Amino acid sequence: MAVYSIYFSPTGGTEKVMKLLASAWESVMIIDLSVPEADYGDYNFSEKDVCLIGIPVFEGRVPKIVLERISHMKANNTPAVLVAVYGNRDFNDALLELKNELMPMGFRPVAAVSAVAHHSSLPMYAEGRPDQQDAEELKSFSAQLKEIVEAGKSEPVEVPGNEPYIEISMPPNYPLFDREKCIDCKACAEKCPVQAIDRDTLELNQDRCARCVRCVYVCPAGARYLDPARQQAAAQRLAKLFEGRKPNVLYQ
């Protein structure tokens, strides 16, 4: 049996969660879905393998780039653990959407996890998560997930969510660019998961942008940033939805 950890983690939160959830297995192969030049069609999974598939929740949904890249992979009744990582507001329909999309691709979702990590575009929320408490919980989940997989569970896991899925209604908030601060390191262009930043002009192609804000996080000079006024307005408008410490949950 080969174990794969497949994830899209533009700002690092989902990656941290996935490492903890894979900790019960001795050997895990990592497939990073943020590499645009990768040939995802090279991956073939059998029913003896297991795939942990993690996504950051974008406004209650699965990022389109995740589904597009996984669709090139080949699975054959492959046991899968679905993981939705969100910023302490709500994961809404993301797990259900992920399940519904992956099953026709040949994956068999046997368990799922909703987990909290720092909010990428409103970093004042879930700051520092996953923290030590989260780490202990997610490592415990990992041991349980290993048992579920090894027991050969066949029926698909039930996960929360509604159909039709929640509509993405927030106006697009694209990263801004301050040319005067730019040191021309090109990190933003080189690490953009969808190659939305021109390597020569460093201009952003909004039609390609996934709004994952990786460019903001990797820029060493602060030349890529989100509009502070829009961030503050969103934080005030959504404050009640972020109240309290949301739990990590295992579905089996």
Side-chain angles (χ1 to χ4, degrees), residues 160-178:
N162 297 290
E163 296 182 84
Y165 307 132
I166 187 172
E167 292 187 9
I168 297 177
S169 57
M170 296 284 288
N173 188 15
Y174 297 104
L176 303 178
F177 181 43
D178 187 336

Side-chain angles (χ1 to χ4, degrees), residues 113-139:
V113 173
S114 60
V116 178
H118 72 272
H119 198 287
S120 58
S121 57
L122 296 175
M124 68 286 291
Y125 294 121
E127 185 177 3
R129 296 189 71 179
D131 55 21
Q132 186 58 41
Q133 179 180 332
D134 293 316
E136 293 174 2
E137 291 175 350
L138 296 173
K139 286 180 180 179

